[in-house]
Amino acid sequence: YKPKPLGASKHFSQFLHWMNNRGFTPAFKPMRVLDKNEYGWEEFIVQQGCNTTEEVQRYYNRLGGLLAVLYSMRGTDFHMENVIASGEHPTPIDLETVFHNIPALHFQDTADVEAKKKIVDSVIGTGLLPLLLYQNEEGFGVEMSGMGGGEQVLPFPVLQVEHDETDNMRFVRKSKSTKGSENVPSLSGQRTHAGQYVDEVVLG
């Protein structure tokens, strides 16, 4: 249940049905959505592993297809927490960021700004493809894409609570790791890596 309109999610699922009907293979598995205008329900997507190499290959075929669809719809923010690997089906969730509007930004016209604009306006801007974020001065960062991510140590200390629920409670800066997510398919219990399935992604 979600206390908000789910029109974007409903129409996205209808579009995936349209793609299937026109011959996209392997077929997408659209999410079931009941939109009641001011509130609604979305199908609960459960992470599941794959049992065969062919299932993993089909997963990455579909992920390549989703990359094209989301790019064409100006989708953004499809990082590792907004994609769930449900067997051989990559399932995007939180679809309010399709048809993303980019307001006019008034920054100084530099090569750095132009480069960042081009990245945001490319398939990388969807959030599905690997991109190193929050880099420190040494170049270390975190990779949180929809096809990658996983548990990583942040490249900078983060404010955290120590001795909570006591009168010695305080905030300190110390290292922290990101949690793993449910966006990467596993094969017989072992996490796969998108780098081994580039051809499948490109084909999709």
Side-chain angles (χ1 to χ4, degrees):
Y1 170 77
K2 292 191 175 180
K4 63 180 182 180
L6 295 176
S9 183
K10 176 183 175 182
H11 291 302
F12 185 81
S13 289
Q14 289 173 338
F15 183 80
L16 294 186
H17 276 298
W18 184 87
M19 292 281 289
N20 290 342
N21 291 338
R22 275 149 186 79
F24 181 83
T25 55
F28 293 116
K29 184 182 179 185
M31 184 190 303
R32 292 178 294 175
V33 180
L34 179 60
D35 179 35
K36 303 298 284 184
N37 296 324
E38 298 302 318
Y39 60 94
W41 288 264
E42 286 180 338
E43 178 180 0
F44 184 75
I45 306 300
V46 179
Q47 182 189 28
Q48 295 175 323
C50 295
N51 297 313
T52 67
T53 301
E54 290 75 22
E55 288 180 355
V56 177
Q57 289 172 333
R58 289 194 295 268
Y59 177 96
Y60 284 106
N61 279 152
R62 292 183 177 102
L63 193 62
L66 283 173
L67 177 62
V69 168
L70 291 170
Y71 175 60
S72 70
M73 292 183 175
R74 294 196 70 93
T76 185
D77 204 36
F78 289 95
H79 51 74
M80 66 184 194
E81 293 180 349
N82 283 345
V83 178
I84 296 177
S86 183
E88 61 181 76
H89 296 278
T91 307
I93 58 174
D94 290 337
L95 286 150
E96 67 268 13
T97 56
V98 293
F99 299 110
H100 183 67
N101 180 39
I102 300 177
L105 302 174
H106 303 289
F107 290 116
Q108 186 178 354
D109 192 17
T110 65
D112 186 53
V113 168
E114 277 302 306
K116 287 178 179 174
K117 283 181 182 177
K118 288 186 182 299
I119 288 173
V120 168
D121 199 36
S122 73
V123 288
I124 295 174
T126 62
L128 276 179
L129 293 175
L131 180 66
L132 206 57
L133 301 173
Y134 309 116
Q135 288 177 274
N136 60 18
E137 293 177 356
E138 288 80 35
F140 294 103
V142 289
E143 202 286 284
M144 302 174 67
S145 69
M147 66 170 58
E151 188 173 337
Q152 304 162 76
V153 178
L154 293 174
F156 45 80
V158 177
L159 271 179
Q160 298 175 68
V161 176
E162 273 191 352
H163 310 297
D164 57 327
E165 299 185 17
T166 74
D167 55 2
N168 292 322
M169 185 175 77
R170 63 182 186 146
F171 276 107
V172 293
R173 290 189 182 274
K174 56 184 182 180
S175 64
K176 183 177 175 64
S177 296
T178 63
K179 293 181 180 179
S181 195
E182 300 180 335
N183 62 309
V184 176
S186 61
L187 177 58
S188 301
Q190 296 297 311
R191 182 181 169 97
T192 63
H193 192 281
Q196 297 176 317
Y197 298 91
V198 173
D199 290 342
E200 284 77 11
V201 174
V202 172
L203 180 63

